[in-house]
mmCIF file of all heavy atoms in Angstrom:
data_model
loop_
_atom_site.group_PDB
_atom_site.id
_atom_site.type_symbol
_atom_site.label_atom_id
_atom_site.label_comp_id
_atom_site.label_asym_id
_atom_site.label_seq_id
_atom_site.Cartn_x
_atom_site.Cartn_y
_atom_site.Cartn_z
ATOM 1 N N LYS A 2 -149.670 57.480 -31.503
ATOM 2 C CA LYS A 2 -148.585 57.215 -30.641
ATOM 3 C C LYS A 2 -148.803 57.610 -29.228
ATOM 4 O O LYS A 2 -148.527 56.912 -28.221
ATOM 5 C CB LYS A 2 -147.262 57.994 -31.103
ATOM 6 C CG LYS A 2 -146.591 57.304 -32.347
ATOM 7 C CD LYS A 2 -145.323 58.029 -32.607
ATOM 8 C CE LYS A 2 -144.550 57.421 -33.739
ATOM 9 N NZ LYS A 2 -143.294 58.061 -34.071
ATOM 10 N N THR A 3 -149.517 58.859 -29.003
ATOM 11 C CA THR A 3 -149.758 59.276 -27.671
ATOM 12 C C THR A 3 -150.634 58.252 -26.857
ATOM 13 O O THR A 3 -150.403 58.047 -25.798
ATOM 14 C CB THR A 3 -150.480 60.666 -27.683
ATOM 15 O OG1 THR A 3 -149.571 61.628 -28.334
ATOM 16 C CG2 THR A 3 -150.816 61.127 -26.348
ATOM 17 N N SER A 4 -151.600 57.701 -27.607
ATOM 18 C CA SER A 4 -152.484 56.781 -26.947
ATOM 19 C C SER A 4 -151.789 55.444 -26.475
ATOM 20 O O SER A 4 -152.270 54.756 -25.676
ATOM 21 C CB SER A 4 -153.652 56.429 -27.867
ATOM 22 O OG SER A 4 -153.216 55.665 -29.002
ATOM 23 N N LEU A 5 -150.667 55.095 -27.158
ATOM 24 C CA LEU A 5 -149.848 53.947 -26.818
ATOM 25 C C LEU A 5 -149.044 54.147 -25.564
ATOM 26 O O LEU A 5 -148.486 53.108 -24.968
ATOM 27 C CB LEU A 5 -149.109 53.510 -28.014
ATOM 28 C CG LEU A 5 -149.898 52.937 -29.171
ATOM 29 C CD1 LEU A 5 -148.993 52.673 -30.357
ATOM 30 C CD2 LEU A 5 -150.720 51.675 -28.849
ATOM 31 N N ILE A 6 -148.653 55.367 -25.287
ATOM 32 C CA ILE A 6 -147.685 55.560 -24.260
ATOM 33 C C ILE A 6 -148.096 54.977 -22.901
ATOM 34 O O ILE A 6 -147.152 54.283 -22.225
ATOM 35 C CB ILE A 6 -147.424 57.090 -24.128
ATOM 36 C CG1 ILE A 6 -146.663 57.605 -25.395
ATOM 37 C CG2 ILE A 6 -146.611 57.392 -22.879
ATOM 38 C CD1 ILE A 6 -146.391 59.059 -25.382
ATOM 39 N N PRO A 7 -149.326 55.227 -22.349
ATOM 40 C CA PRO A 7 -149.656 54.542 -21.058
ATOM 41 C C PRO A 7 -149.357 53.105 -21.052
ATOM 42 O O PRO A 7 -149.025 52.571 -20.072
ATOM 43 C CB PRO A 7 -151.086 55.070 -20.893
ATOM 44 C CG PRO A 7 -151.175 56.282 -21.623
ATOM 45 C CD PRO A 7 -150.460 56.022 -22.853
ATOM 46 N N LEU A 8 -149.821 52.456 -22.191
ATOM 47 C CA LEU A 8 -149.724 50.967 -22.316
ATOM 48 C C LEU A 8 -148.266 50.583 -22.274
ATOM 49 O O LEU A 8 -147.894 49.586 -21.620
ATOM 50 C CB LEU A 8 -150.479 50.488 -23.517
ATOM 51 C CG LEU A 8 -151.922 50.708 -23.571
ATOM 52 C CD1 LEU A 8 -152.517 50.192 -24.954
ATOM 53 C CD2 LEU A 8 -152.659 49.912 -22.378
ATOM 54 N N LEU A 9 -147.406 51.315 -22.993
ATOM 55 C CA LEU A 9 -145.944 50.980 -22.980
ATOM 56 C C LEU A 9 -145.391 51.143 -21.693
ATOM 57 O O LEU A 9 -144.631 50.253 -21.180
ATOM 58 C CB LEU A 9 -145.269 51.954 -24.044
ATOM 59 C CG LEU A 9 -143.783 51.710 -24.141
ATOM 60 C CD1 LEU A 9 -143.484 50.451 -24.663
ATOM 61 C CD2 LEU A 9 -143.183 52.833 -25.055
ATOM 62 N N LEU A 10 -145.707 52.188 -20.951
ATOM 63 C CA LEU A 10 -145.246 52.281 -19.597
ATOM 64 C C LEU A 10 -145.672 51.143 -18.663
ATOM 65 O O LEU A 10 -144.822 50.722 -17.978
ATOM 66 C CB LEU A 10 -145.715 53.655 -19.005
ATOM 67 C CG LEU A 10 -145.018 55.062 -19.254
ATOM 68 C CD1 LEU A 10 -145.800 56.190 -18.953
ATOM 69 C CD2 LEU A 10 -143.661 54.965 -18.591
ATOM 70 N N ALA A 11 -146.842 50.827 -18.735
ATOM 71 C CA ALA A 11 -147.378 49.761 -17.908
ATOM 72 C C ALA A 11 -146.632 48.498 -18.188
ATOM 73 O O ALA A 11 -146.283 47.810 -17.243
ATOM 74 C CB ALA A 11 -148.843 49.563 -18.104
ATOM 75 N N GLY A 12 -146.388 48.217 -19.481
ATOM 76 C CA GLY A 12 -145.599 47.046 -19.798
ATOM 77 C C GLY A 12 -144.233 46.991 -19.250
ATOM 78 O O GLY A 12 -143.770 45.976 -18.765
ATOM 79 N N LEU A 13 -143.535 48.134 -19.435
ATOM 80 C CA LEU A 13 -142.192 48.105 -19.010
ATOM 81 C C LEU A 13 -142.015 48.180 -17.505
ATOM 82 O O LEU A 13 -141.170 47.635 -16.988
ATOM 83 C CB LEU A 13 -141.569 49.527 -19.631
ATOM 84 C CG LEU A 13 -141.184 49.341 -21.133
ATOM 85 C CD1 LEU A 13 -140.762 50.757 -21.666
ATOM 86 C CD2 LEU A 13 -140.218 48.348 -21.458
ATOM 87 N N LEU A 14 -142.925 48.959 -16.891
ATOM 88 C CA LEU A 14 -142.768 49.010 -15.458
ATOM 89 C C LEU A 14 -143.184 47.734 -14.719
ATOM 90 O O LEU A 14 -142.955 47.475 -13.570
ATOM 91 C CB LEU A 14 -143.600 50.213 -14.815
ATOM 92 C CG LEU A 14 -143.069 51.557 -15.423
ATOM 93 C CD1 LEU A 14 -143.989 52.640 -14.859
ATOM 94 C CD2 LEU A 14 -141.619 51.780 -14.971
ATOM 95 N N ALA A 15 -143.894 46.824 -15.415
ATOM 96 C CA ALA A 15 -144.254 45.577 -14.860
ATOM 97 C C ALA A 15 -143.259 44.457 -15.048
ATOM 98 O O ALA A 15 -143.377 43.332 -14.587
ATOM 99 C CB ALA A 15 -145.645 45.070 -15.452
ATOM 100 N N ALA A 16 -142.105 44.724 -15.832
ATOM 101 C CA ALA A 16 -141.128 43.862 -16.077
ATOM 102 C C ALA A 16 -140.374 43.488 -14.786
ATOM 103 O O ALA A 16 -140.413 44.237 -13.823
ATOM 104 C CB ALA A 16 -140.133 44.463 -17.119
#
Side-chain angles (χ1 to χ4, degrees):
K2 284 186 177 180
T3 301
S4 65
L5 292 175
I6 290 173
L8 297 176
L9 179 63
L10 273 167
L13 287 170
L14 297 179

